[in-house]
Amino acid sequence: MLFNSHVYIFLFLPAVLAGFFFLNRLRWVQPAKAWLVLASLLFYSYWNPRYLLLIVASMLFNYALGTAMARHEKGGRANPKAVLIFGISINLALLGFYKYSDFFIENINALAGTDFSFFRLALPLAISFFTFQQIAYLFDSYKGETTEYDFLNYCLFVSFFPQLIAGPIVHHKEMMPQFARVKNVFFNWKNMAMGVFIFSIGFFKKVVVADSFAVWATAGFDGADVLTFFEAWASSLSYTLQLYYDFSGYTDMAIGSAYMFNIQLPINFNSPYKAVNIQDFWRRWHITLSRWLRDYLYIPLGGNRKGPGRTYINLFLTFLLGGLWHGAGWTFVLWGGMHGAGTALHKWWQDKGMRMPKWAAWLTTFLFVHFAWVFFRAQSFDDALKVFRGLFGLSGFVLPEGLGAAFGWLGNYGVEFGEALAGIDGGSTAASMLLLFGLIAVAAKNSLEIGACMRTNKRHLAFSLVLFTYATFKLTQVSEFLYFNF
């Protein structure tokens, strides 16, 4: 089920809210939690009921291991380190089987000349997210940082539908105290208003902004055989902004939905295109994934404890594996390697005490992120090369026809005059939206900053209604969030 669908907005979410607060009003706290768990599993299985068993089995397995490690602290016989290694291995094996088996077979066939058959498995929705979340839980259990071992609470921690599909990747200690807080079981008008306010912003971002950019990005990356200079920049910037507004829109809708249940999810997106270095970017983009990679990959690899050279290697390996986590393809590996090399280079630059003007630092960071997104989006290296040829002017220039009279002499240098964005079905609308929403992304307040100023008054209510109503009328077809693919 998608947040940006009529069934979620007008049926599922209101019904779950009504049931949850009605049961709590009767002081049926445990049944209310069970209702929320069942609703979350329905939310998950709506996409493909066959994979419901997978997430339930994963929860049972990891809960049993966490409980076993807890019993060891009370005199149980289980070896916690062996349990931890076993649990992580099984979780990663499951993720690897569903997500990377065909990628592995494809490369074996290419290298060895074999002809092994592909499994052609449909990727279970959210498997990357609930696997990482439960690995974090096992680590926390091993370190004795989890104190809650009630099975119903654990199921709610894993399956809570606002954060189930694409994050944030939450820690046990962030969520369970909130579900246990007595005042959180009762309806709260202020939290409901905040939830609707933030949800409406995210809904508008996804349906009106991100889905508009998707048209031009798809036309450029997947449709056009050749991209001229302006077409390449317009289509690649369209994807850069599509991904920004798509993911930030999802995050807002997740945070808004959780607020309606009096639950505050951790911040997961904080104006990443305002970053002035690559480390700053990853402190703002998918913040909970960056935290997970730091705590459960970078630090176990040695972090910065073994000298500068090892630090640079650890940074590179962390982002390389983070790239592979995003998708089973060499374009994702290259994207992760680019960010790993960029982060290591920034660390070296910092260690040498070098600085650059803030505007230059921002421009360098944005262009680096933008160029890396080309590999992230491209279906193949050939598609990426097509875009880069256009970006660097190797596939020709087309200027607006109206400039022909004044700059016709440029025709001697191969410049043509006509519809500058014809190859991606763009025009003045595409150019205007790129300018407007590009400026908003790099200069305006983000949803969290706007939400912090929100008041339960008529002005903010009207703002929410306008955004929500306009987005609802634009919701002619439901489109998936981009991060559902990962």
Side-chain angles (χ1 to χ4, degrees):
M1 191 181 301
L2 300 173
F3 290 157
N4 57 319
S5 64
H6 293 98
V7 67
Y8 177 82
I9 296 171
F10 297 109
L11 180 60
F12 178 82
L13 183 59
V16 178
L17 283 166
F20 179 73
F21 287 117
F22 175 74
L23 291 171
N24 277 310
R25 186 177 179 84
L26 298 177
R27 301 296 195 274
W28 293 353
V29 177
Q30 291 301 100
K33 288 181 182 177
W35 166 261
L36 207 48
V37 170
L38 290 174
S40 297
L41 294 177
L42 172 63
F43 176 85
Y44 181 82
S45 63
Y46 188 86
W47 171 75
N48 191 335
R50 290 184 302 170
Y51 287 125
L52 177 60
L53 181 62
L54 180 67
I55 190 173
V56 171
S58 177
M59 289 192 297
L60 287 168
F61 173 76
N62 286 287
Y63 173 75
L65 296 188
T67 303
M69 285 188 277
R71 286 175 179 165
H72 176 268
E73 295 181 3
K74 300 177 182 178
R77 300 174 63 182
N79 182 327
K81 189 170 185 178
V83 171
L84 176 65
I85 293 172
F86 175 68
I88 292 173
S89 300
I90 296 299
N91 277 285
L92 291 179
L94 185 69
L95 177 62
F97 174 69
Y98 279 103
K99 194 166 185 176
Y100 303 105
S101 55
D102 282 353
F103 177 63
F104 179 75
I105 292 170
E106 179 185 5
N107 284 280
I108 290 294
N109 286 342
L111 290 172
T114 53
D115 191 26
F116 294 117
S117 299
F118 295 108
F119 289 104
R120 302 193 187 283
L121 299 168
L123 181 66
L125 192 62
I127 188 171
S128 297
F129 290 93
F130 68 70
T131 298
F132 268 30
Q133 189 159 309
Q134 292 187 101
I135 287 175
Y137 167 77
L138 293 179
F139 265 110
D140 292 346
S141 296
Y142 173 73
K143 293 185 290 186
E145 294 178 0
T146 55
T147 57
E148 174 61 68
Y149 292 97
D150 178 82
F151 180 62
L152 185 61
N153 284 350
Y154 180 79
C155 290
L156 188 55
F157 152 68
V158 175
S159 67
F160 185 47
F161 68 88
Q163 56 83 37
L164 171 62
I165 305 299
I169 301 171
V170 296
H171 280 293
H172 187 266
K173 60 187 177 184
E174 291 174 322
M175 300 300 291
M176 286 303 99
Q178 294 193 72
F179 287 121
R181 201 169 294 147
V182 175
K183 68 176 183 179
N184 281 357
V185 304
F186 299 108
F187 186 88
N188 184 307
W189 278 109
K190 184 176 180 180
N191 286 342
M192 180 60 68
M194 176 66 81
V196 171
F197 184 77
I198 295 176
F199 184 94
S200 298
I201 294 174
F203 187 32
F204 181 89
K205 285 180 182 178
K206 167 59 179 170
V207 175
V208 178
V209 184
D211 288 354
S212 295
F213 284 125
V215 175
W216 304 308
T218 301
F221 278 90
D222 301 335
D225 294 325
V226 176
L227 291 171
T228 62
F229 180 78
F230 291 109
E231 289 168 349
W233 278 98
S235 58
S236 58
L237 283 171
S238 289
Y239 181 70
T240 293
L241 293 177
Q242 177 199 356
L243 188 57
Y244 175 92
Y245 284 102
D246 189 281
F247 190 29
S248 65
Y250 170 86
T251 300
D252 290 343
M253 295 171 84
I255 289 175
S257 296
Y259 249 114
M260 297 178 198
F261 292 92
N262 304 320
I263 300 298
Q264 293 188 36
L265 295 178
I267 296 171
N268 202 35
F269 202 89
N270 186 20
S271 298
Y273 292 163
K274 294 178 182 177
V276 292
N277 59 63
I278 197 64
Q279 184 181 39
D280 187 25
F281 173 80
W282 281 105
R283 286 172 176 165
R284 295 166 173 269
W285 179 280
H286 211 328
I287 297 169
T288 57
L289 174 62
S290 300
R291 179 181 66 180
W292 195 99
L293 292 172
R294 179 198 66 200
D295 293 346
Y296 304 111
L297 189 55
Y298 174 69
I299 292 175
L301 283 172
N304 59 0
R305 301 188 303 275
K306 299 184 179 182
R310 181 64 180 272
T311 298
Y312 306 146
I313 293 172
N314 291 340
L315 285 169
F316 179 77
L317 289 175
T318 297
F319 281 98
L320 190 71
L321 292 171
L324 186 60
W325 174 86
H326 277 84
W330 288 111
T331 52
F332 288 106
V333 174
L334 178 57
W335 172 80
M338 288 178 67
H339 276 275
T343 305
L345 180 60
H346 167 69
K347 176 65 176 168
W348 173 83
W349 181 276
Q350 256 189 342
D351 291 343
K352 297 298 181 182
M354 294 186 283
R355 298 288 185 271
M356 65 171 64
K358 189 173 181 179
W359 69 266
W362 171 82
L363 183 60
T364 302
T365 303
F366 180 80
L367 288 176
F368 175 85
V369 170
H370 172 68
F371 289 147
W373 284 141
V374 173
F375 291 105
F376 192 84
R377 171 61 176 82
Q379 300 293 325
S380 67
F381 286 112
D382 286 340
D383 286 339
L385 189 59
K386 172 189 70 178
V387 176
F388 278 112
R389 283 197 196 100
L391 290 173
F392 292 102
L394 300 179
S395 297
F397 291 80
V398 177
L399 293 176
E401 196 167 7
L403 298 177
F407 298 97
W409 56 271
L410 290 175
N412 298 325
Y413 300 95
V415 175
E416 299 178 11
F417 294 89
E419 184 61 50
L421 302 181
I424 62 169
D425 299 321
S428 59
T429 302
S432 300
M433 286 195 66
L434 284 168
L435 179 61
L436 173 62
F437 289 103
L439 287 173
I440 289 173
V442 302
K445 288 184 177 180
N446 60 39
S447 321
L448 296 173
E449 293 167 330
I450 295 172
C453 303
M454 198 277 291
R455 299 291 182 269
T456 52
N457 56 32
K458 293 180 180 179
R459 183 164 62 90
H460 286 96
L461 174 62
F463 179 74
S464 300
L465 286 175
V466 168
L467 292 182
F468 182 84
T469 303
Y470 187 74
T472 300
F473 281 114
K474 292 284 288 186
L475 189 60
T476 55
Q477 62 181 32
V478 177
S479 60
E480 286 190 352
F481 290 90
L482 294 176
Y483 257 76
F484 282 17
N485 298 318
F486 313 129

